[in-house]
Amino acid sequence: IITPETSVIFLAVAWTIGVGTFGASIGVGLVGGSAAIQTALKPKSYSAIFNMTLISQALIETSGLFALIISFLILTKFTI
């Protein structure tokens, strides 16, 4: 049975994931675009650009994973 309280909890979980991944998606796009531009300008430095891009992408995605973990915590805390 879905009550108004559980629907608010589901809405909070959806907002948590949405807001948490919004910044990560913008960051991934900016880093990827900048890496593509720099690789086009300096093809010989592809290896260094690739390594820095990979590290940056991993750090950016942690905010999305953190939002997912927080949303699971909200869901399990208030629905049980």
Side-chain angles (χ1 to χ4, degrees), residues 21-46:
T21 56
F22 181 74
S25 62
I26 290 176
V28 166
L30 288 175
V31 169
S34 297
I37 290 171
Q38 290 302 317
T39 304
L41 292 175
K42 300 175 188 174
K44 293 196 186 272
S45 63
Y46 169 77

Side-chain angles (χ1 to χ4, degrees), residues 29-76:
L30 288 175
V31 169
S34 297
I37 290 171
Q38 290 302 317
T39 304
L41 292 175
K42 300 175 188 174
K44 293 196 186 272
S45 63
Y46 169 77
S47 177
I49 293 171
F50 178 74
N51 290 337
M52 291 304 294
T53 303
L54 198 62
I55 292 169
S56 300
Q57 298 283 354
L59 291 175
I60 290 169
E61 285 297 322
T62 56
S63 66
L65 291 174
F66 183 68
L68 183 66
I69 290 169
I70 295 298
S71 66
F72 280 138
L73 289 174
I74 291 171
L75 193 61
T76 57

